[in-house]
Amino acid sequence: MINKFIGIGHLCSDPKMQSFSSNTKCSFSIGINNTKTDVLFLNIEAWNNVAENCNKYLTKGSCVYVEGKVKNSQWEDKSGNKKTSFFISADIVRFLPNG
C-alpha cells in the first residue's frame, strides 16, 4: 500500500507551534485552488526540525510544497458520537516564492 500526499498551496493563517517533552509540532492549514471557485483546505502537521523551520519562516499567505502522509484522528464528541478527521503529516515542506 502507498500513502503519499504531494501538494502546493498557500497558508490560511500563521502556523502554531507546540512543544512536548521530547518533540515539537507545527500545525497550519493550506488552501489548494482546484479551480477559481473550488478550494481544497487541508490541515498540515510538521514535527521537530521541519516544524521549527516552518514556525520560523512561514506566515499567512506563504506558498509551500508539502510532501507527506495522510493520517486520521478519531475521538468522541460530547454526545458520544465517534468523529474522524484527516490531516497531512508532512515529511518535507519546501518554501516557494509567493506569486
Side-chain angles (χ1 to χ4, degrees), residues 14-67:
D14 289 335
K16 293 173 180 57
M17 189 74 157
Q18 290 179 288
S19 294
F20 304 98
S21 59
S22 61
N23 295 316
T24 54
K25 177 176 86 169
C26 185
S27 303
F28 54 92
S29 295
I30 62 171
I32 299 173
N33 291 11
N34 291 324
T35 65
K36 287 185 178 184
T37 58
D38 180 30
V39 181
L40 176 63
F41 295 99
L42 297 169
N43 294 320
I44 312 292
E45 287 184 358
W47 290 88
N48 301 320
N49 290 339
V50 176
E52 292 170 17
N53 286 330
C54 288
N55 189 58
K56 185 175 181 180
Y57 295 109
L58 297 178
T59 58
K60 179 180 180 179
S62 295
C63 187
V64 292
Y65 164 94
V66 177
E67 191 172 318

Side-chain angles (χ1 to χ4, degrees), residues 50-93:
V50 176
E52 292 170 17
N53 286 330
C54 288
N55 189 58
K56 185 175 181 180
Y57 295 109
L58 297 178
T59 58
K60 179 180 180 179
S62 295
C63 187
V64 292
Y65 164 94
V66 177
E67 191 172 318
K69 296 171 186 65
V70 179
K71 293 191 173 184
N72 68 346
S73 176
Q74 298 177 341
W75 71 96
E76 285 188 20
D77 66 12
K78 294 178 183 177
S79 303
N81 299 313
K82 292 186 180 193
K83 300 285 185 175
T84 302
S85 67
F86 293 89
F87 63 94
I88 306 302
S89 179
D91 298 319
I92 298 169
V93 178

